[in-house]
Amino acid sequence: MAAKSNKPKSYCYDYPRPALTVDIVLLSGMNHQTDQVEVLLIKRAREPFKGQWAFPGGFVDEDESLEDAAARELAEETGLSGIQLEQIGAFGDPGRDPRGHTVSVVFAAVIGDRRLASAADDASEAAWHSALQPPSLAFDHEKILAVTLVRLRNERRI
């Protein structure tokens, strides 16, 4: 993790900038009982979308790399760490987050067997769900899941 700089900022911008978040799509390769790919979701403990399922994720801290933010958010909300995450893409349609214009950089990983996850931080639950028939998802996470599944299928990783 990069150290925070105490150097004063030399550039200021007159236009508003979107917020930056990361989301993590963690898939288990196959549930041996159901032959289905599963996705790890957290139940949001806070608004917006309190009580709804979503991917682990959150805001990127100042002077934090995207990769570090994704690993931190995954660990904070699910207790899982040491997972190699790959950047899938960015999602930034206006209106995707009711708090304001927010761009999310999405990371994904496919793990062999689902791991036990425990909810913490701003997640009230963490649980594995069918990736093909997930519960209703917060934000634009249904779109993100669909894009991620297509990409990973095309790469023959699921």
Side-chain angles (χ1 to χ4, degrees), residues 10-154:
S10 57
Y11 297 100
C12 294
Y13 301 96
D14 292 334
Y15 56 89
R17 291 177 277 168
L20 182 61
T21 62
V22 290
D23 285 305
I24 301 92
V25 181
L26 187 59
L27 300 164
S28 70
M30 215 39 104
N31 177 323
H32 301 293
Q33 296 173 341
T34 63
D35 287 336
Q36 287 192 20
V37 175
E38 293 184 313
V39 61
L40 181 63
L41 301 173
I42 58 104
K43 189 171 275 189
R44 292 184 52 81
R46 298 184 197 144
E47 293 293 349
F49 302 108
K50 181 179 179 178
Q52 290 188 5
W53 292 102
F55 299 125
F59 289 95
V60 177
D61 290 337
E62 190 170 358
D63 297 322
E64 182 178 38
S65 74
L66 296 172
E67 292 79 8
D68 287 346
R72 174 182 55 77
E73 285 291 341
L74 183 62
E76 284 178 0
E77 293 185 352
T78 69
L80 299 177
S81 62
I83 296 171
Q84 183 69 37
L85 299 171
E86 171 189 347
Q87 193 176 123
I88 295 294
F91 295 79
D93 290 343
R96 67 175 298 275
D97 188 329
R99 296 169 289 193
H101 191 179
T102 305
V103 175
S104 186
V105 178
V106 174
F107 288 82
V110 179
I111 59 175
D113 291 317
R114 62 185 184 164
R115 297 186 190 177
L116 182 62
S118 56
D121 194 32
D122 56 355
S124 64
E125 286 182 53
W128 291 93
H129 296 267
S130 167
L132 301 178
Q133 295 180 319
S136 177
L137 300 176
F139 303 102
D140 58 350
H141 290 188
E142 289 172 10
K143 175 183 177 180
I144 291 170
L145 180 59
V147 168
T148 302
L149 290 172
V150 166
R151 177 169 168 183
L152 295 175
R153 274 192 201 113
N154 288 342

